[in-house]
């Protein structure tokens, strides 16, 4: 078979998806590194010069001088758009949101030195959480701020709340409970109110109002933060043009008036909106309507030098609030702040009583920003180096100028402006790096992904032709290379530097287009072949692109499994469905599962065809008796029952999103150590252990049933020894980790040691097992049949014809002794050739039995999945063992349903006989992986990541970040991984289960006829094997890729949606990471299959050493004489004298599908060769 | 012959559909505070009852049902008993399926069971009327070559439409629109009823347009 081309094509397809995702995510998700340093009072932000002069201007400690304001009231009105705050007396017929806040206008006109109203421009993303983070840290938070603890939402970056706390201000907070999660334990007093329910306009506001005024007149506070949510919720619910908005704004007007009345002279009032809203009341994006909020500053004592003048800023960026407030209240500016002080707030010339002068404030500000820039550029490299050096030069010039000006005492007029310019340019640089969507990149990513999906579809349809044509990848790769080189050259020519993303994008698109263009020819070949067969009348022979559309069009979209897949993709565009994803996917899986028997019944395949005398005689009669059909149908329904059962039980393992109000997370998600009731704990432990045991038992039972536990290879060793050992390790680990902290004081050290060692031992065993499976995947055990007694004495003492456990000797010992003999004997019988065929042919029975040959491909894969499952279970809470057992059962059910469907269609002559895996099982498989993502307690949100997985085996924490991240990723996507690794089983299972059908039908008939050859059919036609494998993999990739594409579309289309940062963007991240891991493990599984294929070829060659001489005749498979199948790589049968022996060997392969001869005493039926054996002749 | 049968079917379907409408309209005149959303279960039972009565009456009058070989009273009685048993079993079956699809097991069992009753009256009762209490025949009808009369084909279409309608009816439930028809089981029962009505309209039309292709084997 063609191994490398298949793997190459899959790698190429995965690569295209990765490029598309990389492009989109690069344009959509902006990543910034958090700098976890804090400013302190001792920071020498002032120039040393001051100290030398010894004046009051140069305090050695930053916080000591008396600040201008002792207290501050920060009133945050969520979504207070600037338009709401403006008052236009000329407007005679104001809309509901206009002219409802006259207090600002009145104050500004009546007390110009005390108050100002500015437009306050937020940075995208304009969502409340990001905005609170923005105007408290003074930085530009992006969707992902890579910080030290990803798990909690608490702000670890330096921020004004922290700084104010450091200088001993008592802070009181009331309002939106987001603050409480962002700043846990920072407040002197805190009154959080639930913010989640968008429909609720009044709870938060009324809660604040009940406490606000009494607190204001009291003396136990220095800084008061009140966050009103009503306006925002009103916008979301009704939009700005609604009477409710007018009421809400009028209420806010009253609130501000009352607050102003109660202010004392040393108090500063800041009223601000965190963001604006669109005309429909939403926010999140970057339009001016969303970013422009209002900022109102007021103090009973004069705040500004005079009435508004020309030089004042027209718009205040949101970051500028933090440095201004810090300096006014006498605290250091937070470390990562990028804002510049609001100059009008500072006196133009130094004056000891009025605090810092404008120039001093700017200088302090510039030094702080420069320090941050230096630190950040060391930590992260995303700011262009060229830009960075320009900024550095700018700062050193400024620094020299400032020191000169201070030293000489001569004011230099341009210094303030130049400091401001420096601050602005730093801010703009950072903004360009962190806070801007890149629509071009997003579009390019979308295009690459869409084309990749289309390409997967074409590949899966044309896989047969492609495999036989060969050289499929040449043109696309050349095109990619050419386009990439052109892109590099163009960028170098036009811009002077190269951005990798913009080289990958044209390369990917070019290679996709080249393939699609090339595929037209393949399609022509397919349709020609179909027409040639005479059955292609339905296929339209249109050519060109319209032909493509016809070919891919309605024929496709109307198939129910694809309809279900489409529904699944469409559901990713709705936030409600993403929130309810776990149940929605379960619903779809159940629907498609129930569709299978209904469809079979519709085609008349589920039940044996009724005896119908009027049936036209031309129809082929049913290939099998009704009893076999009935039995197969019953099997199908039984497995359907298993599927339905596991579907019904799986939601009980779901976790809960915060959006799901009345949901309670599954009790199994709690680690055992946290259960208080010791009886319950024991019960949970026993249940988990039992499911783990059952998992292992089922695996081993399956392997033994198909005779895969008999040989002495690496894979068998893994299954027989390592797997149980692994399970024991896991069970002990659970027991140890479930012990309460202070349960066994004497054994603390031992327990600590066990916590460290047991999981690590399990990891080591797992690694060893996977390695062994990879190195020696063949689980076939070959042995000669007991031949005619006439030959026995001549060669060696005859073996006992039947082995009975009742001989008195230990059966195990005797078997161990027996096996080498059998093997020797088999070798000998092969070596002396001719005579043995005479015997075996006379006998009519085969001469060699190969245990487990029928499942030679699936056994290592099943073992691999089983090992992987146990390993992934290790990273989960103990209770999830039950969920993993359900996963295994559901996998089995899906495989058996697929196998039974194939058998039923095959039995009644409705199946083409190819290895093609239809859409229904593949769609079910892909949906089940999402279903169990939820049913193993995961959710597509960041707070729900199971961080404890990173500490399994590393109770003391980690040094680096790669290993814990990998462990958490493995934990999160374990279901994706397992289903992807098991995906090729869909191809093998109908062949594995084929035996049953044939055996049922052929009892009593001659054994030499058509026999079950199980997976050897694949070796019989390697071409079709390759194409089926390629088709299955591309279909699976297509389904996964379509889901990724849908969530990418959701993120792109709904980037203004209220829920974009809460639902869609995390969903996109999870979907993309799931795709990444799925595709990697799918590739691994395919590689394992190909590895097995190589190993099987080698195994055949080893059994027939002298056959190598004929090997040079070419590796093609051929049917000659009586041999039903042969090897493609190594030897083939010819009519020469030599091959008589080979033919006999070939005739003699016997597939035995029974019992573990080493472990069990079930030796009898094997040697007697009863019904459990099937012959390949 | 075709025309006659199709006309008979169309009129029968029209009667059934009018039964559904009157079951919605009449109680609103008679019962105070009756509404489809508010007193949903009442509406549901009235529709289910109306459909059942009209169906049985129409099929009995038209004489579609399988002619029985024996006309003894005991035979008729046993058929009646078996029919009732099947109806009950069908209610339980639908209830189970709906629960498996994710309906709450205990909390709103009455609502779920009412939906099952509605589905039974829309599908199983029709099967009973057309095919008699014979599960083998029911399974046989739902295969490609299983229909033996025009009525079998119409049965296929209406049942499929009803079930698909109920299935589609579950789709709006997770949405956060807070509409009265998103409450369990309103959307599903509305969906199944709309599907049923669609099936009633679609069946005669489909048969009419495909009358050339339709060939029925005799029993």
């Amino acid at each position: 078979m063609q191994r490398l081309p298949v793997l190459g094509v899959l790698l190429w397809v995965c690569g295209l998806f990765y490029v598309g995702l990389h492009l989109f995510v690069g344009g959509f998700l902006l990543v910034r590194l958090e700098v976890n340093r804090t400013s302190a009072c001792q920071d020498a932000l002032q120039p040393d010069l001051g100290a030398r002069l010894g004046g009051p201007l140069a305090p050695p400690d930053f916080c000591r001088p008396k600040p201008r304001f002792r207290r501050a009231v920060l009133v945050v009105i969520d979504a207070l758009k600037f338009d709401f705050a403006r008052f236009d007396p000329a407007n005679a017929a104001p809309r509901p949101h206009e002219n409802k806040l006259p207090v600002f206008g009145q104050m500004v006109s009546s007390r110009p030195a005390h108050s100002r109203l500015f437009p306050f421009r937020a940075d995208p993303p304009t969502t409340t959480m990001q905005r609170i983070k923005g105007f408290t840290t003074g930085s530009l938070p992006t969707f992902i701020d890579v910080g030290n603890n990803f798990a909690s939402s608490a702000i670890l970056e330096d921020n004004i709340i922290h700084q104010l706390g450091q200088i001993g201000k008592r802070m009181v907070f009331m309002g939106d409970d987001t603050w409480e999660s962002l700043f846990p334990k920072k407040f002197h007093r805190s009154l959080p109110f639930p913010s989640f329910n968008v429909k609720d306009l009044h709870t938060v506001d009324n809660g604040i109002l009940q406490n606000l005024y009494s607190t204001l007149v009291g003396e136990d506070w220095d800084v008061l933060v009140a966050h009103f949510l009503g306006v925002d919720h009103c916008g979301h619910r009704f939009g700005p043009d609604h009477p409710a908005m007018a009421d809400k704004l009028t209420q806010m007007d009253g609130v501000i008036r009352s607050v102003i009345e109660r202010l004392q002279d040393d108090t500063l009032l800041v009223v601000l909106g965190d963001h604006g809203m669109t005309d429909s009341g939403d926010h999140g994006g970057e339009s001016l309507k969303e970013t422009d909020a209002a900022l109102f500053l007021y103090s009973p004592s004069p705040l500004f030098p005079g009435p508004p003048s020309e030089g004042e800023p027209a718009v205040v960026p949101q970051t500028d609030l933090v440095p201004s407030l810090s300096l006014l209240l006498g605290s250091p500016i937070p470390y990562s702040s990028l804002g510049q002080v609001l100059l009008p707030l500072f006196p133009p010339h130094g004056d000891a009583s009025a605090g810092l002068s404008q120039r001093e404030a700017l200088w302090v500000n510039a030094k702080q920003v420069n320090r941050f820039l230096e630190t950040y550029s060391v930590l992260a490299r995303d700011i262009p180096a060229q830009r960075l050096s320009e900024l550095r030069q700018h700062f050193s010039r400024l620094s020299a100028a400032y020191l000169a000006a201070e030293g000489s005492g001569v004011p230099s007029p341009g210094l303030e402006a130049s400091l401001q310019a420096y601050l602005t340019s730093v801010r703009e640089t950072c903004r360009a790096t962190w806070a801007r969507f890149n629509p071009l990149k997003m579009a390019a990513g979308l295009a690459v992904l869409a084309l990749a999906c289309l390409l997967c579809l074409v590949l899966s349809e044309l896989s047969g032709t492609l495999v036989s044509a060969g050289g499929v990848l040449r043109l696309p790769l050349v095109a990619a290379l050419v386009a990439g080189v052109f892109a590099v050259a163009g960028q170098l020519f036009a811009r002077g530097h190269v951005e990798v993303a913009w080289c990958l994008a044209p390369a990917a698109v070019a290679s996709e287009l080249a393939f699609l263009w090339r595929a037209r020819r393949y399609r022509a070949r397919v349709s020609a072949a179909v027409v040639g067969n005479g059955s292609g009348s339905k296929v339209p022979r249109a050519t060109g692109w319209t032909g493509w559309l016809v070919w891919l069009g309605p024929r496709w979209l109307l198939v129910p499994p694809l309809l279900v897949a489409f529904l699944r993709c469409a559901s990713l565009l709705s936030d409600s469905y993403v929130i309810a994803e776990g149940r929605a996917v379960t619903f779809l899986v159940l629907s498609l599962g129930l569709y299978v028997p209904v469809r079979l019944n519709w085609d008349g395949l589920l039940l044996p065809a009724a005896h119908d005398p009027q049936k036209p005689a031309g129809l082929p009669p049913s290939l099998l008796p009704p009893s076999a059909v009935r039995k197969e149908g019953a099997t199908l329904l039984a497995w359907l029952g298993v599927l339905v059962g596991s579907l019904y039980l799986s939601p009980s393992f779901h976790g809960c999103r915060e959006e799901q109000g009345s949901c309670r997370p599954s009790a199994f998600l709690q680690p055992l150590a946290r259960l208080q009731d010791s009886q319950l704990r024991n019960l949970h432990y026993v249940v988990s252990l039992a499911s783990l045991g059952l998992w292992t038992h089922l695996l081993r039972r399956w392997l033994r049933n198909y005779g895969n536990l008999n040989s002495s290879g690496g894979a068998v060793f893994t299954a027989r020894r390592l797997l149980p050992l692994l399970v024991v390790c896991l069970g002990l680990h659970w027991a140890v980790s479930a012990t309460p902290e202070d349960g066994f004081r004497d054994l603390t050290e031992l327990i600590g040691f066990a916590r460290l060692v047991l999981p690590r031992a399990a990891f080591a065993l797992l690694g060893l097992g996977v390695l062994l499976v990879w190195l020696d995947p063949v689980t076939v055990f070959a042995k000669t049949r007991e031949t005619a007694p006439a030959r026995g004495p001549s060669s060696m003492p005859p073996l006992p014809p039947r082995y009975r456990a009742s001989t008195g000797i230990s059966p195990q010992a005797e078997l161990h002794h027996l096996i080498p003999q059998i093997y020797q004997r088999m070798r000998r019988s092969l070596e002396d050739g001719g005579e043995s065929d005479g015997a075996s042919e006379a006998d009519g029975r085969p001469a060699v039995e190969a245990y487990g040959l029928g499942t030679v491909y699936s056994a290592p894969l099943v073992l691999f999945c089983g090992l992987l499952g146990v390993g992934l279970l290790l990273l989960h809470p103990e209770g999830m063992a039950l969920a993993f057992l359900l996963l295994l059962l559901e996998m089995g059910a899906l495989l058996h349903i697929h196998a039974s469907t194939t058998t039923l269609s095959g039995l009644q002559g409705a199946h083409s006989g190819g290895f093609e895996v239809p859409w229904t099982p593949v769609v079910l498989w892909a949906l089940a992986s999402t279903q169990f993502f939820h049913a193993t307690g995961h959710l597509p949100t960041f707070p729900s990541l199971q961080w404890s997985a990173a500490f399994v085996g590393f109770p003391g924490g980690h040094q680096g970040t790669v290993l814990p991240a990998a462990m958490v990723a493995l934990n999160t996507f374990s279901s994706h991984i397992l289903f992807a690794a098991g995906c090729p089983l869909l191809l093998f299972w109908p062949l594995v289960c084929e035996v049953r059908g044939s055996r049922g039908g052929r009892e009593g008939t001659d054994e030499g006829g058509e026999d079950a050859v199980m997976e050897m059919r694949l070796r019989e036609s390697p071409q079709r094997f390759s194409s089926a494998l390629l088709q299955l993999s591309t279909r699976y990739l297509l389904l996964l890729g379509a889901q990724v594409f849908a969530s990418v579309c959701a993120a792109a289309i709904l980037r203004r949606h209220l829920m974009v940062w809460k639902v869609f963007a995390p969903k996109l991240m999870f979907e993309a990471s799931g795709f990444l891991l799925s595709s990697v493990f799918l590739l691994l599984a395919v590689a394992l299959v190909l590895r097995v294929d190589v190993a099987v070829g080698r195994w055949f060659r080893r059994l027939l050493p002298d056959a190598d001489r004929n090997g040079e005749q070419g590796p093609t498979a051929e049917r000659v004489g009586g041999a039903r199948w042969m090897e493609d790589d190594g030897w083939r049968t010819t009519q020469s004298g030599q091959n008589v022996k080979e033919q006999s060997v070939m005739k003699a392969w016997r597939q035995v599908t029974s019992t573990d001869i080493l472990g069990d005493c079930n030796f009898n039926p094997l040697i007697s060769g009863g019904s459990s054996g099937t012959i390949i002749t | 012959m075709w025309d006659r049968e199709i006309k008979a079917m169309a009129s029968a379907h029209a009667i059934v559909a009018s039964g559904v409408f009157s079951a919605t309209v009449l109680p609103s005149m008679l019962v105070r505070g009756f509404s489809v959303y508010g007193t949903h279960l009442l509406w549901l039972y009235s529709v289910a009852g109306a459909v059942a009565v009209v169906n049985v009456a129409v099929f009995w009058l038209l004489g579609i049902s399988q002619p029985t070989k024996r006309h003894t009273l005991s035979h008729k009685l046993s058929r009646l008993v078996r029919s009732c048993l099947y109806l009950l079993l069908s209610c339980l079956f639908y209830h189970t399926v709906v629960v498996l699809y994710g309906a709450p097991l205990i909390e709103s069992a009455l609502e779920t069971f009412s939906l099952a009753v509605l589905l039974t009256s829309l599908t199983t009762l029709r099967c009973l009327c057309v095919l008699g209490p014979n599960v083998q025949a029911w399974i046989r009808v739902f295969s490609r070559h299983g229909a033996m009369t025009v009525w079998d084909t119409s049965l296929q279409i209406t049942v499929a439409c009803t079930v698909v309608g109920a299935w589609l009816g579950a789709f709006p439930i997770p949405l956060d629109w807070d509409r009265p028809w998103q409450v369990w089981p309103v959307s599903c029962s509305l969906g199944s009823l709309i599907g049923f009505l669609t099936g009633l309209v679609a069946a005669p039309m489909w048969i009419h347009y495909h009358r050339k292709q339709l060939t029925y084997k005799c029993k």
Side-chain angles (χ1 to χ4, degrees), chain A residues 781 814-824 1157-1158 1163:
Chain A
F781 172 69
E814 196 160 322
L815 278 174
H816 280 302
H817 174 63
L818 195 64
I819 297 309
Q821 277 191 7
I822 293 171
Y823 188 64
Q824 284 302 320
I1157 53 172
L1158 287 178
F1163 205 28

Side-chain angles (χ1 to χ4, degrees), chain A residues 199 564 567 574-577 580 583-584 586-588 590-592 594 598-599 601-604 607 612 614 644-645 647-648 1059, chain B residues 97 99-105 136 138-145 156 167-168 170-178 217-218:
Chain A
K199 307 244 156 46
V564 168
L567 281 177
S574 150
D575 59 325
S576 310
Y577 274 104
R583 309 217 62 140
T586 315
F587 180 92
L588 288 180
L590 182 60
S591 303
L592 201 53
L594 292 181
V598 170
R599 172 80 205 197
N601 185 47
W602 176 253
D603 289 334
L607 296 172
D612 191 356
Q614 302 221 331
V644 167
L647 280 173
Y648 184 69
M1059 289 291 182
Chain B
V97 169
V99 166
L100 287 176
Y101 263 113
L105 182 64
Q136 290 276 334
W138 296 2
I139 294 175
R140 192 250 314 145
V141 160
F142 292 104
S143 67
R144 186 168 294 163
H145 307 291
Q156 284 177 352
W167 186 70
L168 288 176
F171 280 55
I173 294 177
L175 295 173
D176 56 356
W177 298 346
D178 273 352
K217 288 172 284 190
C218 307

Side-chain angles (χ1 to χ4, degrees), chain A residues 65-322:
Chain A
K66 187 167 170 287
R68 271 182 69 191
F69 292 98
R70 190 169 68 83
R71 310 208 287 188
V73 178
L74 196 64
V75 176
V76 183
I77 300 178
D78 211 290
L80 180 68
K81 199 178 172 180
F82 185 65
D83 294 355
F84 299 170
R86 209 173 345 193
F87 185 75
D88 179 12
N91 190 346
R95 288 155 67 192
H97 64 265
E98 285 173 339
N99 286 359
K100 291 298 179 300
L101 288 167
V103 58
F104 297 137
Q106 285 165 10
M107 293 311 290
V108 170
S109 54
S110 65
R111 308 188 73 181
H114 295 257
S115 54
R116 277 295 185 285
L117 179 67
F118 295 109
F120 193 41
R121 186 158 294 165
D123 303 288
T126 47
T127 48
T128 299
M129 210 253 266
Q130 262 78 19
R131 276 357 305 156
I132 294 177
K133 224 168 156 176
F135 68 72
T136 54
T137 59
S139 184
L140 303 166
T142 54
F143 172 58
I144 310 166
D145 290 339
V146 181
N148 269 357
N149 77 337
F150 214 7
S152 98
S153 50
I155 296 182
L156 287 188
E157 257 187 319
D158 195 10
N159 58 69
I160 191 165
I161 304 294
H162 174 77
Q163 288 298 346
L164 292 175
Q166 287 299 102
I167 59 167
K169 301 276 183 200
R170 291 162 297 169
M171 274 168 291
V172 176
F173 165 74
M174 48 189 76
D176 182 353
D177 57 0
T178 314
W179 286 73
E180 190 55 31
S181 66
L182 290 177
F183 305 101
K185 299 190 188 125
K186 294 272 186 203
F187 295 111
H188 175 63
R189 202 147 64 81
S190 160
L191 297 164
F193 299 97
S195 64
F196 179 66
N197 188 357
V198 179
K199 307 244 156 46
D200 176 5
L201 305 188
H202 300 298
T203 305
V204 177
D205 294 4
N206 292 348
I208 296 171
L209 291 179
Q210 275 167 15
N211 298 286
L212 181 63
Y213 305 133
S214 57
T215 310
L216 263 180
V217 295
E219 273 300 321
D220 63 335
W221 60 277
D222 294 311
V223 177
L224 196 156
V225 180
H227 190 141
F228 291 90
L229 272 182
V231 176
D232 182 51
H233 284 188
C234 188
H236 284 307
R237 189 162 175 202
F238 301 114
D241 276 333
H242 191 277
M245 183 60 94
D247 295 346
K248 204 73 221 177
L249 290 175
T250 311
Q251 182 194 14
M252 288 298 122
D253 188 69
V255 170
I256 292 161
R257 280 174 203 278
S258 318
V259 170
I260 286 175
E261 279 166 19
R262 289 171 173 79
L263 288 182
Q264 292 173 7
D265 274 357
D266 58 351
T267 310
L268 173 69
L269 169 68
V270 182
V271 180
L272 63 100
D274 57 347
H275 51 75
M277 61 171 71
T278 60
D279 291 339
S280 58
D282 293 326
H283 55 89
E286 47 187 332
S287 70
L288 278 184
K289 282 181 175 158
E290 291 156 280
T291 54
D292 272 7
L295 172 70
F296 175 73
L297 297 163
Y298 171 82
S299 170
S301 60
L303 185 58
F304 296 92
S309 61
E310 285 296 305
E312 290 187 8
V315 172
V316 177
Q318 210 175 49
T319 46
D320 293 2
L321 182 67
V322 165

Side-chain angles (χ1 to χ4, degrees), chain A residues 699-753:
Chain A
L699 273 180
R700 282 187 46 133
R701 209 196 121 128
W702 184 86
L703 289 172
R704 180 185 301 164
N705 186 37
Y706 287 102
N708 288 313
L709 288 185
N710 296 326
S711 75
S712 54
V716 178
F717 178 73
T718 307
R720 297 182 66 86
R721 302 273 175 263
L722 294 187
L723 191 61
L725 212 56
L726 190 62
V727 169
V728 170
C729 268
L730 188 51
L732 285 176
H733 166 64
W734 285 346
V736 169
S737 60
T739 50
E741 291 293 321
D742 47 355
F744 301 91
R745 285 181 196 285
D746 323 338
L747 299 176
T748 319
E749 276 184 24
L750 186 66
I751 288 175
F753 180 70

Side-chain angles (χ1 to χ4, degrees), chain A residues 14 18 980 1036-1037 1040 1074-1084:
Chain A
C14 289
Y18 299 158
Y1036 194 64
L1037 277 179
L1040 297 178
F1075 178 83
L1076 203 75
L1077 280 166
S1078 292
S1079 58
V1080 166
F1081 276 85
L1082 180 68
L1083 285 174
L1084 280 181

Side-chain angles (χ1 to χ4, degrees), chain B residues 39-120:
Chain B
T39 53
H40 183 69
L41 292 189
L42 192 64
W43 170 80
L44 197 150
Y45 284 119
S46 107
V47 167
V51 168
V53 169
V54 174
N55 253 330
V56 170
V58 163
F59 281 93
W60 183 64
L61 286 176
L62 281 174
I64 304 298
S65 312
Q66 298 280 308
T68 47
K69 285 162 198 135
R70 286 174 292 165
H71 291 278
T72 58
L73 185 67
S74 68
H75 182 67
K76 278 185 178 166
L77 209 62
S78 95
R79 272 175 69 95
L80 192 68
V81 170
R82 269 199 297 160
S83 300
C84 291
L85 184 69
Y86 282 176
L87 283 179
L88 187 68
L89 284 179
S90 146
C91 286
L92 291 177
F93 171 77
Y94 276 122
H95 188 98
T96 317
V97 169
V98 171
V99 166
L100 287 176
Y101 263 113
L105 182 64
I106 299 160
E107 278 164 41
S108 43
L110 180 64
E111 281 84 352
T112 311
F113 193 75
S114 311
L115 178 65
V117 168
L118 180 69
L119 283 170
T120 302

